[in-house]
Amino acid sequence: MDRRHLLKSSLGGAAALTFWALGAGEAAAYPFSLTDAQWRKRLSPLAYNVLRKHATEHPFTSPLNKEHRPGIFKCAGCGQGLFDAKTKFDSGTGWPSFWAPLPRAVGTSRDFSLVYPRIEVHCARCGGHLGHVFDDGPRPTGKRYCMNGVALSFSAA
């Protein structure tokens, strides 16, 4: 059952659609934008589903989990720098995790896809879905930016 069907059946008509629309975060305009066809051509099917359709890759499948060289993790959609490798840590979750993004690199929005609210992280340049941020990370921020590896690329320093 998809999110829209679930909400329509459990919350009722207009209220459910309003709730769904507010959680979707799809109305924002971004400096870098492509048509759906251009995104599909530019990205692998899995990267498209994660970045453009808010899917999640399976844990422990990304080669970026084992990337420990100095460098910058970038958005796989538009190439914007997102995280310095210095902020990467092993969270044990199976997804690349960071305790802080680069300045003005990411945005956040509420995500109700699991019914309870989470904070979605998206690329500030193209709006691509990257993952979620949680309050159980290490110092100095206490944040865990849990990112889909397929939504990222890496450029070594």
Side-chain angles (χ1 to χ4, degrees):
M1 175 181 294
D2 68 17
R3 177 169 63 173
R4 183 180 293 175
H5 181 77
L6 173 68
L7 290 172
K8 283 172 99 174
S9 65
S10 62
L11 297 176
L17 291 176
T18 301
F19 181 78
W20 178 81
L22 290 174
E26 295 173 32
Y30 295 96
F32 184 92
S33 64
L34 299 173
T35 66
D36 189 62
Q38 290 169 320
W39 281 119
R40 286 182 185 277
K41 186 175 181 181
R42 182 182 187 101
L43 302 169
S44 71
L46 180 57
Y48 172 83
N49 282 333
V50 169
L51 284 161
R52 307 315 310 167
K53 298 299 180 183
H54 303 240
T56 301
E57 70 185 351
H58 292 290
F60 302 102
T61 59
S62 175
L64 293 181
N65 284 333
K66 296 178 182 168
E67 182 57 68
H68 300 291
R69 296 175 291 170
I72 300 293
F73 290 85
K74 298 179 177 183
C75 175
C78 70
Q80 170 162 279
L82 301 171
F83 298 94
D84 189 306
K86 293 177 199 169
T87 67
K88 187 172 186 274
F89 70 99
D90 183 5
S91 65
T93 61
W95 291 280
S97 297
F98 306 86
W99 49 263
L102 293 170
R104 296 173 299 287
V106 303
T108 60
S109 59
R110 284 190 174 226
D111 173 7
F112 292 97
S113 62
L114 294 181
V115 181
Y116 63 89
R118 296 181 296 168
I119 303 299
E120 176 197 355
V121 178
H122 57 267
C123 174
R125 184 169 179 240
C126 72
H129 170 76
L130 303 170
H132 293 86
V133 62
F134 303 95
D135 290 325
D136 60 1
R139 291 180 182 190
T141 65
K143 300 290 185 188
R144 173 174 52 97
Y145 287 82
C146 191
M147 304 293 98
N148 288 283
V150 72
L152 305 173
S153 64
F154 179 74
S155 292

